[in-house]
Amino acid sequence: MLGSIKGPDDVKRLAADELPQLAVEIRDLLVDSCARFGGHLGPNLGVVELTIAVHRVFDSPSDPIVWDTGHQAYVHKLLTGRAAGFAALKQEGGLSGYPSQAESEHDFVENSHASTALSYADGLGKAFKLRGDRDRTVVAVIGDGALTGGMAWEALNNIAAVKDLPVVIVVNDNGRSYSPTIGGLASHLSTLRVNRRYEDFLDYVKDKIGNVPLLYDALHGVKKGVKDVLAPQVMFEDLGLKYVGPIDGHDEQAMEAALRQARDFRGPVIVHALTQKGRGYTPAENHDEDQFHSPGAFDRATGAEKPKGRIWTNVFSEELVRLGKEREDLVAITAAMLHPTGLNAFADAYPDRIYDVGIAEQHALTSAAGLALGGMHPVVAVYATFLNRAFDQLLMDVALHRLPVTVVLDRAGVTGDDGASHNGMWDLSILQVVPGLRIAVPRDGDRLTELLREAVDVTDGPTVLRFPKGPVAESVEPVGKLGEMDLLRAAEGEPDVLLVGVGPMTQVCLDAAVLLDAQGIAATVVDPRWVKPLDEALGLAASAHKLVAVVEDNGRVGGVGDAVARLLRDADVDVPVRTYGIPQEFLDHAKRAAILGKIGLTGQDLARQITEAVAKRTSHVEPARH
């Protein structure tokens, strides 16, 4: 049946008694696809019936469907004709793991950062009103986790202020324990709440009998009091939003009925659906940690994930636990990423010193500031791409007060599979402007433990430690020191090129140095360890070379390369600087190694580019000597 679905019209044509079989086929395909390559399995297993109902009631793409976050949009992709593409889900050249405008007109927004869908919906709904598109409705599907983000509530406040805004908000609630409200009276009240005649009657009473406010208050109060006993809707209706639910999100017919009521109201309505994450796949349902939220490749029969080996996150996690034992002032903060950032081990060891603030990175940083003001040393662990959301708080709430807060950035640099929005390629640029901030970038696991310890020892300002996704790099021991920098390779004879490797890029530099040596170009390789502020010894080292090349896993604009060039200018060191990093563009999804190869961040590519740069400089300089 799924093979016949080329778009939402095909879903609408199905008879109601055919839909359970469609749901079974969807779940089978989801499990098969994610077992091969990994993916966001649990959330999508939980929204199968919900998504079918959405596409049977609304007319995508005329009615935009915005997903928050986009990782729960796999079923949406299947129902919009992309089932064949799931054979290469999240693989280079295959389907993205998030909505993608390049894939389909049904992917209205490429939404992969949480708590934003309601703001998109607010703007789209207002645009439709202004353009006179009165037959269009915006549908925002938001998970209960995304509602922990402050931006979602800012949007709700604005949506509620426009009583005829054509927005239906589907709250996919898979994390609460209460049951759906059932029975005839509950169904009647849900219908009553989205009945225009009822609203018109209340408005009439309020306008015409305004001099008897107690009558209006009594009428509204009786209705509200009964509702509040039956359903957990108080906070939504107190905002001024109509509420339908809770609905069993796996009862497709009930979901359809609720969505039609909400659509026909022609104003902002919350439809509250209770779903089970991981529904229909026993290993996911029984997975206590996160119901297979985002597993790697796994064995379909058992659900056992294939071994990943030791990753950077493991090293950080273990060292933080050791530090926690040594220092009672150490506390940890996560923004709904306890396990992915490795803070679960710290939480197990020190349950009174861990805070999960939900999807609220801004709050996380300012709360950390408060903890530091109170005498603690907070360690805030987030994905590098999500730090962008809390830049102002790091700048004005932490750095301005010179507070000892350590921010640990996991998944820094090229992450690959999750696409453009998840590459952590911005932090080394945006953080350069923060006064008093120190940034450490370890090249391997041993340096990660060293630099983490150094970071939490800083008492007069914030520190940042960043590391990439994937297997931890093998240790590279220094052969000497240049100031506080690690000298990893000394040039033989008269030095030509100084290679400055930032963190994991030091291995790329070492690979390139061997190839350069074969071309008669002597290269020195250093690892700054701390890239902000840079060691002044770098200026002296640069002056002994003919060319400086900085290699970083970050956008080229405003990153470490620019900081090195500025350092040399300020020190009057007249040596050219070449910066090698990530181009300032949104990268297509692929494996990290494949992306690094495409953008020229490999030892072979680096050696070739530097050889060309040296050759051009030599050909330009030598005639002047004659």
Side-chain angles (χ1 to χ4, degrees), residues 43 47 50 66-72 111 114-118 140-149 152-153 156 169-176 236 271-273 275 293 359:
V47 296
L50 183 157
V66 186
W67 299 87
D68 196 342
T69 65
H71 65 231
Q72 60 179 333
N111 192 26
S115 310
T116 60
L118 301 186
V141 184
I142 182 168
D144 59 307
L147 281 175
T148 62
W153 293 93
L156 281 172
I169 301 165
V170 182
V171 176
N172 170 32
D173 184 351
N174 59 30
R176 299 293 294 273
F236 293 122
V271 177
H272 184 183
T275 62
H293 178 79
I359 302 176

mmCIF file of all heavy atoms in Angstrom, residues 43 47 50 66-72 111 114-118 140-149 152-153 156 169-176 236 271-273 275 293 359:
data_model
loop_
_atom_site.group_PDB
_atom_site.id
_atom_site.type_symbol
_atom_site.label_atom_id
_atom_site.label_comp_id
_atom_site.label_asym_id
_atom_site.label_seq_id
_atom_site.Cartn_x
_atom_site.Cartn_y
_atom_site.Cartn_z
ATOM 1 N N PRO A 43 10.943 8.932 17.687
ATOM 2 C CA PRO A 43 9.949 9.992 17.484
ATOM 3 C C PRO A 43 9.018 9.713 16.308
ATOM 4 O O PRO A 43 7.829 10.028 16.372
ATOM 5 C CB PRO A 43 10.808 11.235 17.221
ATOM 6 C CG PRO A 43 12.131 10.927 17.818
ATOM 7 C CD PRO A 43 12.318 9.448 17.652
ATOM 8 N N VAL A 47 4.551 9.076 15.680
ATOM 9 C CA VAL A 47 3.672 10.040 15.007
ATOM 10 C C VAL A 47 3.046 9.487 13.732
ATOM 11 O O VAL A 47 2.583 10.241 12.882
ATOM 12 C CB VAL A 47 4.425 11.355 14.673
ATOM 13 C CG1 VAL A 47 4.875 12.054 15.938
ATOM 14 C CG2 VAL A 47 5.592 11.109 13.723
ATOM 15 N N LEU A 50 -0.822 10.119 13.733
ATOM 16 C CA LEU A 50 -0.962 11.580 13.793
ATOM 17 C C LEU A 50 -0.670 12.200 12.420
ATOM 18 O O LEU A 50 -1.422 13.058 11.935
ATOM 19 C CB LEU A 50 -0.015 12.132 14.857
ATOM 20 C CG LEU A 50 -0.011 13.616 15.185
ATOM 21 C CD1 LEU A 50 0.537 13.833 16.598
ATOM 22 C CD2 LEU A 50 0.827 14.425 14.202
ATOM 23 N N VAL A 66 4.529 22.563 9.363
ATOM 24 C CA VAL A 66 5.846 22.884 9.920
ATOM 25 C C VAL A 66 6.092 21.970 11.106
ATOM 26 O O VAL A 66 5.257 21.871 12.006
ATOM 27 C CB VAL A 66 5.925 24.362 10.348
ATOM 28 C CG1 VAL A 66 7.338 24.709 10.792
ATOM 29 C CG2 VAL A 66 5.488 25.284 9.213
ATOM 30 N N TRP A 67 7.247 21.308 11.097
ATOM 31 C CA TRP A 67 7.560 20.289 12.103
ATOM 32 C C TRP A 67 8.581 20.817 13.099
ATOM 33 O O TRP A 67 9.577 21.428 12.717
ATOM 34 C CB TRP A 67 8.115 19.037 11.429
ATOM 35 C CG TRP A 67 7.145 18.432 10.478
ATOM 36 C CD1 TRP A 67 6.977 18.743 9.161
ATOM 37 C CD2 TRP A 67 6.158 17.437 10.782
ATOM 38 N NE1 TRP A 67 5.959 18.002 8.623
ATOM 39 C CE2 TRP A 67 5.436 17.189 9.601
ATOM 40 C CE3 TRP A 67 5.830 16.730 11.936
ATOM 41 C CZ2 TRP A 67 4.396 16.256 9.532
ATOM 42 C CZ3 TRP A 67 4.804 15.804 11.881
ATOM 43 C CH2 TRP A 67 4.098 15.581 10.692
ATOM 44 N N ASP A 68 8.330 20.565 14.380
ATOM 45 C CA ASP A 68 9.240 21.031 15.429
ATOM 46 C C ASP A 68 9.486 19.878 16.420
ATOM 47 O O ASP A 68 8.623 19.556 17.226
ATOM 48 C CB ASP A 68 8.617 22.205 16.159
ATOM 49 C CG ASP A 68 9.611 23.002 16.977
ATOM 50 O OD1 ASP A 68 10.707 22.474 17.267
ATOM 51 O OD2 ASP A 68 9.306 24.147 17.324
ATOM 52 N N THR A 69 10.671 19.268 16.328
ATOM 53 C CA THR A 69 11.662 19.572 15.317
ATOM 54 C C THR A 69 11.447 18.675 14.104
ATOM 55 O O THR A 69 10.642 17.752 14.141
ATOM 56 C CB THR A 69 13.096 19.349 15.864
ATOM 57 O OG1 THR A 69 13.275 17.967 16.142
ATOM 58 C CG2 THR A 69 13.359 20.154 17.093
ATOM 59 N N GLY A 70 12.234 18.969 13.061
ATOM 60 C CA GLY A 70 12.055 18.251 11.815
ATOM 61 C C GLY A 70 12.433 16.793 11.864
ATOM 62 O O GLY A 70 12.158 16.056 10.921
ATOM 63 N N HIS A 71 13.071 16.348 12.952
ATOM 64 C CA HIS A 71 13.439 14.931 13.002
ATOM 65 C C HIS A 71 12.217 14.020 13.141
ATOM 66 O O HIS A 71 12.337 12.805 12.999
ATOM 67 C CB HIS A 71 14.458 14.657 14.120
ATOM 68 C CG HIS A 71 13.974 14.881 15.505
ATOM 69 N ND1 HIS A 71 14.661 15.657 16.416
ATOM 70 C CD2 HIS A 71 12.884 14.440 16.163
ATOM 71 C CE1 HIS A 71 14.014 15.669 17.564
ATOM 72 N NE2 HIS A 71 12.937 14.933 17.437
ATOM 73 N N GLN A 72 11.030 14.578 13.402
ATOM 74 C CA GLN A 72 9.829 13.746 13.473
ATOM 75 C C GLN A 72 9.031 13.806 12.168
ATOM 76 O O GLN A 72 7.844 13.482 12.143
ATOM 77 C CB GLN A 72 8.952 14.165 14.655
ATOM 78 C CG GLN A 72 8.449 15.594 14.618
ATOM 79 C CD GLN A 72 7.568 15.929 15.811
ATOM 80 O OE1 GLN A 72 6.933 15.058 16.397
ATOM 81 N NE2 GLN A 72 7.529 17.205 16.164
ATOM 82 N N ASN A 111 13.341 22.830 9.179
ATOM 83 C CA ASN A 111 13.332 23.104 10.604
ATOM 84 C C ASN A 111 13.994 21.979 11.392
ATOM 85 O O ASN A 111 13.442 20.902 11.514
ATOM 86 C CB ASN A 111 11.882 23.267 11.074
ATOM 87 C CG ASN A 111 11.793 23.834 12.456
ATOM 88 O OD1 ASN A 111 12.683 24.527 12.903
ATOM 89 N ND2 ASN A 111 10.716 23.552 13.142
ATOM 90 N N ALA A 114 15.062 23.269 17.599
ATOM 91 C CA ALA A 114 13.775 23.158 18.279
ATOM 92 C C ALA A 114 13.181 24.500 18.678
ATOM 93 O O ALA A 114 13.865 25.516 18.766
ATOM 94 C CB ALA A 114 13.930 22.288 19.528
ATOM 95 N N SER A 115 11.868 24.455 18.929
ATOM 96 C CA SER A 115 11.092 25.562 19.499
ATOM 97 C C SER A 115 10.880 26.720 18.541
ATOM 98 O O SER A 115 10.546 27.823 18.959
ATOM 99 C CB SER A 115 11.748 26.081 20.793
ATOM 100 O OG SER A 115 12.036 25.024 21.681
ATOM 101 N N THR A 116 11.039 26.489 17.246
ATOM 102 C CA THR A 116 10.902 27.574 16.267
ATOM 103 C C THR A 116 9.631 27.489 15.430
ATOM 104 O O THR A 116 9.233 28.481 14.816
ATOM 105 C CB THR A 116 12.106 27.576 15.311
ATOM 106 O OG1 THR A 116 12.164 26.319 14.620
ATOM 107 C CG2 THR A 116 13.411 27.794 16.061
ATOM 108 N N ALA A 117 8.988 26.329 15.370
ATOM 109 C CA ALA A 117 7.871 26.137 14.444
ATOM 110 C C ALA A 117 6.727 27.107 14.701
ATOM 111 O O ALA A 117 6.080 27.583 13.754
ATOM 112 C CB ALA A 117 7.357 24.696 14.543
ATOM 113 N N LEU A 118 6.466 27.419 15.957
ATOM 114 C CA LEU A 118 5.323 28.294 16.257
ATOM 115 C C LEU A 118 5.584 29.715 15.782
ATOM 116 O O LEU A 118 4.654 30.433 15.390
ATOM 117 C CB LEU A 118 5.019 28.263 17.750
ATOM 118 C CG LEU A 118 4.673 26.879 18.315
ATOM 119 C CD1 LEU A 118 4.251 26.981 19.769
ATOM 120 C CD2 LEU A 118 3.588 26.205 17.487
ATOM 121 N N ALA A 140 1.263 23.535 12.668
ATOM 122 C CA ALA A 140 2.550 23.396 13.349
ATOM 123 C C ALA A 140 2.481 22.185 14.261
ATOM 124 O O ALA A 140 1.654 22.138 15.178
ATOM 125 C CB ALA A 140 2.874 24.650 14.155
ATOM 126 N N VAL A 141 3.326 21.195 13.996
ATOM 127 C CA VAL A 141 3.394 20.002 14.851
ATOM 128 C C VAL A 141 4.608 20.162 15.749
ATOM 129 O O VAL A 141 5.742 20.184 15.278
ATOM 130 C CB VAL A 141 3.513 18.716 14.016
ATOM 131 C CG1 VAL A 141 3.491 17.490 14.939
ATOM 132 C CG2 VAL A 141 2.390 18.632 12.989
ATOM 133 N N ILE A 142 4.361 20.280 17.040
ATOM 134 C CA ILE A 142 5.449 20.551 17.985
ATOM 135 C C ILE A 142 5.463 19.501 19.089
ATOM 136 O O ILE A 142 4.414 19.183 19.670
ATOM 137 C CB ILE A 142 5.336 21.977 18.577
ATOM 138 C CG1 ILE A 142 6.502 22.269 19.527
ATOM 139 C CG2 ILE A 142 3.982 22.212 19.221
ATOM 140 C CD1 ILE A 142 6.618 23.733 19.919
ATOM 141 N N GLY A 143 6.623 18.939 19.358
ATOM 142 C CA GLY A 143 6.747 17.960 20.426
ATOM 143 C C GLY A 143 6.702 18.623 21.788
ATOM 144 O O GLY A 143 7.016 19.808 21.934
ATOM 145 N N ASP A 144 6.318 17.847 22.798
ATOM 146 C CA ASP A 144 6.258 18.413 24.143
ATOM 147 C C ASP A 144 7.639 18.861 24.607
ATOM 148 O O ASP A 144 7.774 19.804 25.379
ATOM 149 C CB ASP A 144 5.653 17.417 25.129
ATOM 150 C CG ASP A 144 6.442 16.110 25.204
ATOM 151 O OD1 ASP A 144 6.682 15.514 24.146
ATOM 152 O OD2 ASP A 144 6.810 15.691 26.305
ATOM 153 N N GLY A 145 8.704 18.212 24.104
ATOM 154 C CA GLY A 145 10.044 18.640 24.466
ATOM 155 C C GLY A 145 10.352 20.028 23.949
ATOM 156 O O GLY A 145 10.975 20.843 24.637
ATOM 157 N N ALA A 146 9.923 20.335 22.723
ATOM 158 C CA ALA A 146 10.185 21.654 22.147
ATOM 159 C C ALA A 146 9.442 22.748 22.897
ATOM 160 O O ALA A 146 9.839 23.919 22.863
ATOM 161 C CB ALA A 146 9.802 21.667 20.671
ATOM 162 N N LEU A 147 8.368 22.386 23.597
ATOM 163 C CA LEU A 147 7.635 23.383 24.382
ATOM 164 C C LEU A 147 8.391 23.797 25.641
ATOM 165 O O LEU A 147 7.955 24.692 26.352
ATOM 166 C CB LEU A 147 6.252 22.846 24.762
ATOM 167 C CG LEU A 147 5.193 22.907 23.661
ATOM 168 C CD1 LEU A 147 3.913 22.232 24.124
ATOM 169 C CD2 LEU A 147 4.908 24.342 23.232
ATOM 170 N N THR A 148 9.526 23.151 25.921
ATOM 171 C CA THR A 148 10.347 23.616 27.037
ATOM 172 C C THR A 148 11.203 24.813 26.632
ATOM 173 O O THR A 148 11.850 25.421 27.475
ATOM 174 C CB THR A 148 11.277 22.499 27.557
ATOM 175 O OG1 THR A 148 12.180 22.111 26.505
ATOM 176 C CG2 THR A 148 10.483 21.294 28.008
ATOM 177 N N GLY A 149 11.228 25.138 25.342
ATOM 178 C CA GLY A 149 12.000 26.282 24.867
ATOM 179 C C GLY A 149 11.207 27.576 24.989
ATOM 180 O O GLY A 149 10.030 27.638 24.617
ATOM 181 N N ALA A 152 9.146 29.106 22.022
ATOM 182 C CA ALA A 152 7.825 28.562 21.724
ATOM 183 C C ALA A 152 6.741 29.338 22.465
ATOM 184 O O ALA A 152 5.662 29.616 21.922
ATOM 185 C CB ALA A 152 7.770 27.078 22.087
ATOM 186 N N TRP A 153 7.023 29.705 23.713
ATOM 187 C CA TRP A 153 6.023 30.427 24.500
ATOM 188 C C TRP A 153 5.909 31.888 24.074
ATOM 189 O O TRP A 153 4.827 32.481 24.150
ATOM 190 C CB TRP A 153 6.340 30.291 25.995
ATOM 191 C CG TRP A 153 6.145 28.871 26.409
ATOM 192 C CD1 TRP A 153 7.081 27.884 26.453
ATOM 193 C CD2 TRP A 153 4.900 28.256 26.739
ATOM 194 N NE1 TRP A 153 6.514 26.689 26.809
ATOM 195 C CE2 TRP A 153 5.171 26.887 26.994
ATOM 196 C CE3 TRP A 153 3.593 28.723 26.849
ATOM 197 C CZ2 TRP A 153 4.172 25.993 27.350
ATOM 198 C CZ3 TRP A 153 2.601 27.835 27.208
ATOM 199 C CH2 TRP A 153 2.885 26.479 27.455
ATOM 200 N N LEU A 156 3.578 31.493 21.181
ATOM 201 C CA LEU A 156 2.202 31.229 21.624
ATOM 202 C C LEU A 156 1.515 32.502 22.088
ATOM 203 O O LEU A 156 0.335 32.738 21.789
ATOM 204 C CB LEU A 156 2.210 30.199 22.763
ATOM 205 C CG LEU A 156 2.368 28.727 22.374
ATOM 206 C CD1 LEU A 156 2.561 27.878 23.620
ATOM 207 C CD2 LEU A 156 1.164 28.236 21.578
ATOM 208 N N ILE A 169 -2.190 24.188 16.014
ATOM 209 C CA ILE A 169 -0.979 23.711 16.682
ATOM 210 C C ILE A 169 -1.238 22.311 17.218
ATOM 211 O O ILE A 169 -2.107 22.114 18.079
ATOM 212 C CB ILE A 169 -0.584 24.651 17.835
ATOM 213 C CG1 ILE A 169 -0.333 26.069 17.307
ATOM 214 C CG2 ILE A 169 0.643 24.123 18.574
ATOM 215 C CD1 ILE A 169 -0.292 27.124 18.390
ATOM 216 N N VAL A 170 -0.526 21.339 16.685
ATOM 217 C CA VAL A 170 -0.660 19.962 17.150
ATOM 218 C C VAL A 170 0.478 19.694 18.128
ATOM 219 O O VAL A 170 1.655 19.679 17.752
ATOM 220 C CB VAL A 170 -0.596 18.965 15.977
ATOM 221 C CG1 VAL A 170 -0.781 17.537 16.494
ATOM 222 C CG2 VAL A 170 -1.642 19.303 14.927
ATOM 223 N N VAL A 171 0.142 19.517 19.380
ATOM 224 C CA VAL A 171 1.141 19.198 20.401
ATOM 225 C C VAL A 171 1.287 17.679 20.468
ATOM 226 O O VAL A 171 0.363 16.977 20.884
ATOM 227 C CB VAL A 171 0.747 19.765 21.771
ATOM 228 C CG1 VAL A 171 1.755 19.324 22.834
ATOM 229 C CG2 VAL A 171 0.684 21.289 21.721
ATOM 230 N N ASN A 172 2.434 17.200 20.014
ATOM 231 C CA ASN A 172 2.725 15.762 20.079
ATOM 232 C C ASN A 172 3.356 15.471 21.432
ATOM 233 O O ASN A 172 4.537 15.687 21.649
ATOM 234 C CB ASN A 172 3.668 15.385 18.938
ATOM 235 C CG ASN A 172 4.194 13.967 19.083
ATOM 236 O OD1 ASN A 172 3.500 13.103 19.608
ATOM 237 N ND2 ASN A 172 5.415 13.737 18.639
ATOM 238 N N ASP A 173 2.556 14.973 22.329
ATOM 239 C CA ASP A 173 2.968 14.787 23.724
ATOM 240 C C ASP A 173 3.288 13.319 23.964
ATOM 241 O O ASP A 173 2.404 12.482 24.119
ATOM 242 C CB ASP A 173 1.824 15.252 24.633
ATOM 243 C CG ASP A 173 2.170 15.188 26.102
ATOM 244 O OD1 ASP A 173 3.222 14.629 26.450
ATOM 245 O OD2 ASP A 173 1.379 15.706 26.913
ATOM 246 N N ASN A 174 4.590 12.991 23.975
ATOM 247 C CA ASN A 174 4.965 11.602 24.236
ATOM 248 C C ASN A 174 5.719 11.444 25.544
ATOM 249 O O ASN A 174 6.326 10.413 25.784
ATOM 250 C CB ASN A 174 5.795 11.040 23.077
ATOM 251 C CG ASN A 174 7.071 11.832 22.830
ATOM 252 O OD1 ASN A 174 7.650 12.409 23.749
ATOM 253 N ND2 ASN A 174 7.520 11.863 21.585
ATOM 254 N N GLY A 175 5.625 12.471 26.405
ATOM 255 C CA GLY A 175 6.405 12.399 27.626
ATOM 256 C C GLY A 175 5.615 12.540 28.906
ATOM 257 O O GLY A 175 6.198 12.614 29.987
ATOM 258 N N ARG A 176 4.283 12.592 28.820
ATOM 259 C CA ARG A 176 3.478 12.781 30.023
ATOM 260 C C ARG A 176 2.721 11.503 30.359
ATOM 261 O O ARG A 176 2.476 10.650 29.524
ATOM 262 C CB ARG A 176 2.477 13.931 29.803
ATOM 263 C CG ARG A 176 3.146 15.267 29.511
ATOM 264 C CD ARG A 176 3.917 15.820 30.712
ATOM 265 N NE ARG A 176 3.024 16.172 31.799
ATOM 266 C CZ ARG A 176 2.422 17.353 31.917
ATOM 267 N NH1 ARG A 176 2.614 18.289 31.020
ATOM 268 N NH2 ARG A 176 1.628 17.604 32.934
ATOM 269 N N PHE A 236 -2.911 26.599 28.342
ATOM 270 C CA PHE A 236 -3.144 27.038 26.976
ATOM 271 C C PHE A 236 -4.322 28.001 26.907
ATOM 272 O O PHE A 236 -4.260 29.043 26.254
ATOM 273 C CB PHE A 236 -3.393 25.834 26.060
ATOM 274 C CG PHE A 236 -2.187 24.969 25.884
ATOM 275 C CD1 PHE A 236 -2.220 23.636 26.221
ATOM 276 C CD2 PHE A 236 -1.009 25.485 25.367
ATOM 277 C CE1 PHE A 236 -1.107 22.824 26.052
ATOM 278 C CE2 PHE A 236 0.109 24.687 25.209
ATOM 279 C CZ PHE A 236 0.063 23.354 25.548
ATOM 280 N N VAL A 271 -4.357 21.363 19.411
ATOM 281 C CA VAL A 271 -4.837 19.985 19.431
ATOM 282 C C VAL A 271 -3.776 19.161 20.155
ATOM 283 O O VAL A 271 -2.650 19.033 19.690
ATOM 284 C CB VAL A 271 -5.069 19.445 18.009
ATOM 285 C CG1 VAL A 271 -5.496 17.974 18.079
ATOM 286 C CG2 VAL A 271 -6.129 20.269 17.289
ATOM 287 N N HIS A 272 -4.144 18.624 21.286
ATOM 288 C CA HIS A 272 -3.204 17.951 22.178
ATOM 289 C C HIS A 272 -3.305 16.439 21.963
ATOM 290 O O HIS A 272 -4.313 15.815 22.305
ATOM 291 C CB HIS A 272 -3.552 18.316 23.617
ATOM 292 C CG HIS A 272 -2.610 17.768 24.635
ATOM 293 N ND1 HIS A 272 -2.801 17.953 25.986
ATOM 294 C CD2 HIS A 272 -1.476 17.040 24.528
ATOM 295 C CE1 HIS A 272 -1.826 17.368 26.656
ATOM 296 N NE2 HIS A 272 -1.005 16.795 25.787
ATOM 297 N N ALA A 273 -2.262 15.855 21.377
ATOM 298 C CA ALA A 273 -2.259 14.421 21.075
ATOM 299 C C ALA A 273 -1.275 13.697 21.980
ATOM 300 O O ALA A 273 -0.113 14.087 22.096
ATOM 301 C CB ALA A 273 -1.880 14.198 19.615
ATOM 302 N N THR A 275 0.936 10.501 22.488
ATOM 303 C CA THR A 275 1.521 9.445 21.673
ATOM 304 C C THR A 275 2.561 8.677 22.471
ATOM 305 O O THR A 275 3.006 9.124 23.526
ATOM 306 C CB THR A 275 2.190 10.021 20.410
ATOM 307 O OG1 THR A 275 3.256 10.888 20.799
ATOM 308 C CG2 THR A 275 1.188 10.795 19.553
ATOM 309 N N HIS A 293 15.534 7.227 20.440
ATOM 310 C CA HIS A 293 15.354 8.569 19.877
ATOM 311 C C HIS A 293 16.180 8.741 18.603
ATOM 312 O O HIS A 293 15.677 9.187 17.572
ATOM 313 C CB HIS A 293 15.739 9.640 20.894
ATOM 314 C CG HIS A 293 15.631 11.031 20.359
ATOM 315 N ND1 HIS A 293 14.421 11.691 20.253
ATOM 316 C CD2 HIS A 293 16.568 11.891 19.873
ATOM 317 C CE1 HIS A 293 14.624 12.892 19.732
ATOM 318 N NE2 HIS A 293 15.910 13.033 19.488
ATOM 319 N N ILE A 359 14.916 22.339 26.479
ATOM 320 C CA ILE A 359 15.466 22.955 25.264
ATOM 321 C C ILE A 359 15.485 24.465 25.467
ATOM 322 O O ILE A 359 14.657 25.209 24.934
ATOM 323 C CB ILE A 359 14.663 22.538 24.032
ATOM 324 C CG1 ILE A 359 14.664 21.015 23.906
ATOM 325 C CG2 ILE A 359 15.274 23.150 22.766
ATOM 326 C CD1 ILE A 359 13.817 20.488 22.771
#
